[in-house]
Amino acid sequence: MRFRIRPLESSFYDLFSEAASHLVHGAALLAQMLDESTDKKAIAEQMREAEHEADETTHKIVRRVNSTFITPFDREDIYRLASSLDDVMDFMEEAVDLLGLYEIETLPPEFAPQVEVLQRATQVTADAMPRLRTMKDLEEYWIEINRLENQGDRSYRRIVADLFSGSHKTLDVLKLKDIVDSLEHAIDALESVANTVEQIAVKES
């Protein structure tokens, strides 16, 4: 059995939980964009604020790594995990920003399942982050994220097939394809988070 010296302070675990909570909030804001009656400009502003808050949490993690002699696990893994969490928020904010820039008032109903996958995956991720303290009961997390990522892939293919079915205007196809790509990238980034957690768990076992 390997002997590891672990720091007593718990700020890393708290910060990862904080980062994941930003994702849950961001996914909820994204879901509101599906509602035709919502004030999309107001939601976009809230998403920009959420993205800035997520960036600040990422900066806190990096500063903590740089100022801590003994970290709870490898520094490279901490950087990778923080970066992947930040990527998720960036891609969700990108999707909302594109909705405003492209002046899209209503997303096709086919987008709803993709957003639902994002909401579920961000919540599962947020639920898993506190378990980094003990590295226990994490396997179900990355298995569920993998399942959701596969579900998201199927949803993505259906959306793209519909966009290129000939029932949409060419310019609308280009705009909506950019948005669904951002959603797909966000889901992929969540899978990257899960893969990093799995690698950390294996190293720590």
Side-chain angles (χ1 to χ4, degrees):
M1 179 182 295
R2 292 181 300 170
F3 177 73
R4 270 185 195 276
I5 301 175
R6 292 184 181 275
L8 295 178
E9 56 88 15
S10 61
S11 60
F12 281 107
Y13 306 114
D14 294 335
L15 287 170
F16 282 129
S17 294
E18 181 180 305
S21 71
H22 292 312
L23 304 186
V24 174
H25 179 50
L29 290 172
L30 185 56
Q32 291 182 45
M33 298 296 278
L34 295 171
D35 187 345
E36 295 181 24
S37 65
T38 56
D39 184 343
K40 291 181 171 53
K41 288 185 178 179
I43 295 172
E45 181 58 35
Q46 292 177 53
M47 180 62 99
R48 280 190 289 272
E49 292 175 2
E51 193 272 335
H52 291 324
E53 291 173 1
D55 279 345
E56 181 54 35
T57 300
T58 302
H59 296 324
K60 288 179 185 176
I61 294 171
V62 172
R63 289 195 295 268
R64 180 66 62 180
V65 173
N66 294 337
S67 63
T68 301
F69 180 65
I70 300 174
T71 56
F73 38 86
D74 290 348
R75 294 172 187 272
E76 293 77 10
D77 290 330
I78 293 175
Y79 287 129
R80 189 178 302 112
L81 183 54
S83 177
S84 295
L85 287 164
D86 190 58
D87 286 344
V88 179
M89 180 60 83
D90 286 345
F91 286 125
M92 289 194 295
E93 193 273 334
E94 179 180 88
V96 170
D97 192 39
L98 287 172
L99 275 165
L101 291 173
Y102 289 158
E103 299 181 341
I104 295 174
E105 292 298 323
T106 305
L107 283 171
E110 291 80 10
F111 277 65
Q114 191 80 334
V115 175
E116 289 172 6
V117 167
L118 259 175
Q119 285 189 282
R120 170 61 181 163
T122 56
Q123 186 60 62
V124 169
T125 300
D127 292 342
M129 288 300 105
R131 300 203 293 274
L132 287 173
R133 293 175 185 270
T134 61
M135 293 294 170
K136 294 180 179 178
D137 303 319
L138 282 166
E139 184 175 2
E140 61 184 25
Y141 154 62
W142 60 69
I143 289 174
E144 175 64 3
I145 289 294
N146 181 257
R147 185 191 69 81
L148 288 167
E149 197 275 335
N150 289 334
Q151 183 178 332
D153 281 345
R154 291 191 295 271
S155 176
Y156 173 78
R157 289 192 292 268
R158 285 194 294 270
I159 293 171
V160 172
D162 175 72
L163 290 178
F164 289 96
S165 66
S167 59
H168 299 274
K169 296 178 181 179
T170 301
L171 190 57
D172 289 341
V173 169
L174 296 175
K175 293 176 179 179
L176 292 170
K177 178 66 164 52
D178 278 350
I179 294 169
V180 75
D181 282 348
S182 295
L183 299 179
E184 175 70 2
H185 294 328
I187 295 172
D188 287 343
L190 281 162
E191 185 182 37
S192 179
V193 170
N195 289 341
T196 300
V197 169
E198 182 177 7
Q199 292 168 12
I200 291 169
V202 169
K203 290 179 183 178
E204 297 296 310
S205 62

